[in-house]
Amino acid sequence: MNQKNLIEVDWSKIPAPADDGGAAHLRGLTLPAISLLATDDTSVTLSALSGRTVVFAYPRTGEPGKISLVDDWDMIPGARGCTPQTCAFRDLFAELKVAGAAQVFGLSTQSNAYQTEMASRLHLPFPVLSDEKLVLTRALNLPTMGVAGLTLIKRLALIIDDAEIVQVFYPVFPPDRNAGDVLDWLKANPAKA
């Protein structure tokens, strides 16, 4: 299937993911000291960051005009919507910062080169982290799905305060509302000084 438009999606025609309990263990966990390559050519260790960090994870962004990873991508619950989710975080980035997010990151298992192209094309004001080798994914036992021989992170968002996961959004549907839900939570739960 050719992906003509990655942004405009009729969510009523896309199956919603079920809460399989795959993220139930994450709240309260302390992040391990794992460095990931970011699209701004830095190495980021989330556990070393101070303040409040927002990390939203997604399976895989597409490229306009390119063939989907698999023909039935849109029918895999939770697969479709990576670009709308990412663009929503882009569009609300300034508000997320005002609401207390010291930093915002995207996260997927795609290569840094692939994500750097996407970050440039979508004009992202935040870096995207590559967990291509699944080091953080396995260390945190993040929920994953296997598609076309690849291990992909299921869509979720984490709020991290000084290396501790304090809030988890999972499952996320529709993806384009995730940034707004995170923003609402940040406003209702100011970081402790």
Side-chain angles (χ1 to χ4, degrees):
M1 174 172 27
N2 190 334
Q3 303 178 82
K4 292 179 183 158
N5 189 325
L6 299 174
I7 303 291
E8 296 173 23
V9 181
D10 180 351
W11 298 115
S12 69
K13 297 181 179 178
I14 304 293
D19 188 350
D20 59 5
H25 66 286
L26 293 172
R27 191 171 181 175
L29 283 185
T30 299
L31 294 177
I34 293 172
S35 294
L36 299 175
L37 191 56
T39 52
D40 62 1
D41 292 325
T42 63
S43 182
V44 174
T45 304
L46 293 169
S47 64
L49 300 175
S50 60
R52 180 161 276 178
T53 302
V54 173
V55 177
F56 67 96
Y58 53 85
R60 183 177 182 85
T61 57
E63 290 181 80
K66 297 278 176 106
I67 302 296
S68 298
L69 188 59
V70 292
D71 285 342
D72 62 346
W73 178 257
D74 286 3
M75 293 300 105
I76 300 169
R80 178 69 193 261
C82 302
T83 301
Q85 180 189 24
T86 301
C87 288
F89 275 94
R90 175 198 65 200
D91 296 346
L92 292 177
F93 178 72
E95 291 178 63
L96 291 163
K97 297 285 278 183
V98 168
Q103 46 271 322
V104 176
F105 297 98
L107 171 69
S108 84
T109 58
Q110 290 173 283
S111 73
N112 189 60
Y114 188 99
Q115 293 185 140
T116 298
E117 181 282 325
M118 177 271 304
S120 174
R121 175 172 34 91
L122 297 179
H123 308 289
L124 301 183
F126 51 80
V128 179
L129 306 175
S130 173
D131 192 16
E132 187 176 16
K133 295 183 179 162
L134 304 173
V135 179
L136 183 67
T137 300
R138 288 186 178 130
L140 291 177
N141 193 25
L142 294 178
T144 61
M145 61 179 155
V147 180
L150 300 173
T151 300
L152 307 174
I153 303 170
K154 289 185 178 181
R155 188 176 326 284
L156 57 87
L158 306 172
I159 310 293
I160 303 159
D161 284 347
D162 298 316
E164 180 188 348
I165 299 172
V166 296
Q167 180 65 14
V168 179
F169 295 83
Y170 179 85
V172 170
F173 191 83
D176 61 346
R177 290 195 201 141
N178 185 216
D181 292 341
V182 167
L183 179 61
D184 289 345
W185 189 91
L186 291 174
K187 288 177 177 177
N189 299 275
K192 294 176 182 138

